[in-house]
């Protein structure tokens, strides 16, 4: 794998490395939203949402388009939705493994 691709992947995953950014991406996976809509859905301060959106924009994970004075945010690539789904499945696999380990420990 070439260095540029590795660097892209590292920067991309850094952009995802915050729980609020992940939650914003989950919301945007369901459809385009304004800052106020995202704020309302996730129950967070507008400034915090705006800061996290700025990071996601700077890493080209999301983009905003103007509709009058309102900015509507969207996923830049719909495959992000698939990535979040795969991450959830990995989490579920880890959870099943942990539960199995705990059950085995209990029976010993």
């Amino acid at each position: 794998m070439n260095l540029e691709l590795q660097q892209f992947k590292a920067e991309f995953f850094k952009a995802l490395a915050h729980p609020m950014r992940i939650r914003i991406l989950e919301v945007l996976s369901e459809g385009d939203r304004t800052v106020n809509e995202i704020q309302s859905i996730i129950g967070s301060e507008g400034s915090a949402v705006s800061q996290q959106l700025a990071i996601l924009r700077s890493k080209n994970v999301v983009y905003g388009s103007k509709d009058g004075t309102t900015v509507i945010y969207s996923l830049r690539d719909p495959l992000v939705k698939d990535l979040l789904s795969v991450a959830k499945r990995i989490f579920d696999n880890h959870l099943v493994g942990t539960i199995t380990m705990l059950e085995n420990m209990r029976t010993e």
Side-chain angles (χ1 to χ4, degrees):
M1 209 179 297
N2 64 36
L3 186 57
E4 292 82 16
L5 180 56
Q6 291 171 343
Q7 187 64 37
F8 169 82
K9 288 179 180 180
E11 292 299 319
F12 179 78
F13 283 112
K14 281 183 200 175
L16 304 182
H18 191 283
M20 184 181 289
R21 291 195 290 267
I22 295 294
R23 184 64 185 119
I24 289 169
L25 293 174
E26 290 170 343
V27 168
L28 292 176
S29 292
E30 298 167 4
D32 301 347
R33 302 274 191 241
T34 66
V35 174
N36 289 338
E37 290 171 329
I38 296 168
Q39 175 187 343
S40 176
I41 291 167
I42 68 175
S44 181
E45 299 284 326
S47 61
V49 169
S50 293
Q51 289 172 348
Q52 300 307 325
L53 281 166
I55 293 168
L56 291 169
R57 269 193 330 264
S58 73
K59 300 296 183 181
N60 290 316
V61 179
V62 302
Y63 68 96
S65 55
K66 282 221 173 216
D67 182 17
T69 59
T70 303
V71 179
I72 300 171
Y73 287 92
S74 307
L75 295 177
R76 184 161 297 278
D77 190 322
L79 288 174
V80 170
K81 183 176 182 175
D82 295 338
L83 179 65
L84 294 172
S85 176
V86 168
K88 183 181 181 318
R89 290 198 328 252
I90 291 169
F91 172 80
D92 291 346
N93 290 343
H94 282 277
L95 188 59
V96 167
T98 300
I99 290 170
T100 302
M101 180 187 69
L102 290 171
E103 287 173 346
N104 290 339
M105 289 173 59
R106 221 176 31 176
T107 60
E108 291 178 353

